[in-house]
Every structure is written in C-alpha cells, then in structure tokens.
Amino acid sequence: MNSAVSGAEARSRLEAVYIRERPGLMAFARKMGRSAQEAEDLLQDVFASALSRLELFSALSNPAGWLATAVRNRALDLWRRSRTRRRAGEVDVPDATIDEIAEAIGLDPADQVVREDLLDALAEAIGELPPEQRLVIEAQALGGVGFRELAERTGESIDTLMARKRYAIAKLAAALRDWIDEG
C-alpha cells in the first residue's frame, strides 16, 4: 500500500514538473531544429519514458534538469538516426504520401509488403534525381518546407524551385511507372 502511495506521489510530482516545464522544454526542442509536431512527439516520448521509470524519477533532486537532458538526448538520437538514414540513401516519406501514391497506382496501401517495396522504389528514384531536384523534393515535398523558405535557404528563385519540383515529379512518376511494369 505504501509503494502505491509513493508511486502515486511520484506520478503527481512528474505531472506537475512536466506541466510547469513543458513550455521551456518545447522551446528547447524547437531550438534543436524540431518542427512543432516533432517537438511535441519528442516531449511525449520523454514523458512516457519518465512514467516508465517513476522510481528513478521520484529520487531525482532536479527533475526539471533530468527532463531537459532527456529531451536533448532524444533529439540528438533522432538527428543521428535521420543523418544515418540519409547517408544510407533512405528517404523519410510520410505515411500519408505513401498511401496516396499506392492508391493512385492501384495498389492496396494497407499491404505492408507493397508499402515497403514502394518506399524502396521511391527512395531509389529520388536518389537518382539530379542533386538540385532531389533537394527540392526532399525539402519541399517530403520535408514540408515552403518554397519561400527554400528560396531563402538556397538563394534560388521560387520559380526555379517550382520548375525543379515539376521536373522531379515527372521523373519520379516515370520511375514508378517502370517499377510497376517490372512488378
């Protein structure tokens, strides 16, 4: 009974610290290059981790510091994983995009084998794009970066970036048509 009370107290303490520190932790995660959604997901992961370790958390003298360190470590882990995947040629394509592509070409988006094969074909096709087209597709279409922001980053005009995206989409469509024909 006593451990249940201490567990409830630890959970209550964690929730209070999380509520109090959440705005600062969110700003910290955003400062580390995370989008608002990624920062929110990251904070939820850290909170879930802390909940799974209530005994440890209840013994901390600086729980806010522990949460900040956990946010930093989790953000770094995500960054390293993302960088490793990019170096390996993997492309991070949103699930909704894969579903949309699969449906558009007449495949069942719920079929995991189809999804994996399609993602592999798409990653290969993106990897074969000229670098300037690949940059636009990865940043704008897959990363959600607007043309204006991308133009500021690259120094290219919005019209040039939009043209590169059109050419890239045409090449990707042709590559996926070839993939379907081979399959």
Side-chain angles (χ1 to χ4, degrees):
M1 188 71 125
N2 193 12
S3 66
V5 171
S6 87
E9 288 173 4
R11 183 182 177 97
S12 179
R13 180 177 178 215
L14 172 60
E15 288 172 354
V17 170
Y18 181 77
I19 289 167
R20 184 180 69 240
E21 300 296 328
R22 186 182 180 287
L25 293 171
M26 184 72 154
F28 181 53
R30 294 290 310 266
K31 185 178 177 183
M32 294 186 74
R34 304 279 117 195
S35 69
Q37 183 61 48
E38 289 174 323
E40 184 67 39
D41 291 346
L42 190 141
L43 291 180
Q44 292 300 319
D45 286 349
V46 167
F47 183 65
S49 177
L51 278 173
S52 71
R53 298 181 179 131
L54 278 177
E55 298 81 27
L56 169 75
F57 190 82
S58 64
L60 295 173
S61 61
N62 182 4
W66 184 89
L67 287 172
T69 300
V71 166
R72 185 196 73 220
N73 290 344
R74 180 75 175 122
L76 289 172
D77 288 346
L78 292 172
W79 177 76
R80 285 183 191 119
R81 185 177 311 133
S82 174
R83 185 179 66 174
T84 301
R85 289 177 62 204
R86 278 194 311 274
R87 284 184 179 165
E90 288 187 34
V91 179
D92 192 17
V93 180
D95 287 340
T97 302
I98 293 295
D99 291 346
E100 188 177 330
I101 293 169
E103 286 178 18
I105 57 179
L107 300 173
D108 180 7
D111 185 338
Q112 192 60 33
V113 173
V114 167
R115 291 175 64 83
E116 290 172 9
D117 288 349
L118 179 58
L119 188 55
D120 289 345
L122 186 58
E124 184 177 327
I126 289 171
E128 293 176 4
L129 290 172
E132 61 278 355
Q133 291 176 12
R134 185 173 52 244
L135 171 77
V136 174
I137 289 296
E138 288 176 347
Q140 204 281 322
L142 302 177
V145 176
F147 280 114
R148 182 178 310 261
E149 182 181 343
L150 189 56
E152 290 171 3
R153 286 184 190 176
T154 63
E156 300 285 346
S157 74
I158 292 174
D159 289 339
T160 298
L161 295 172
M162 290 175 74
R164 287 180 181 165
K165 181 180 177 183
R166 281 192 307 274
Y167 294 136
I169 295 289
K171 288 179 183 177
L172 292 174
L176 290 177
R177 276 193 295 277
D178 290 345
W179 173 75
I180 291 170
D181 292 341
E182 291 173 4

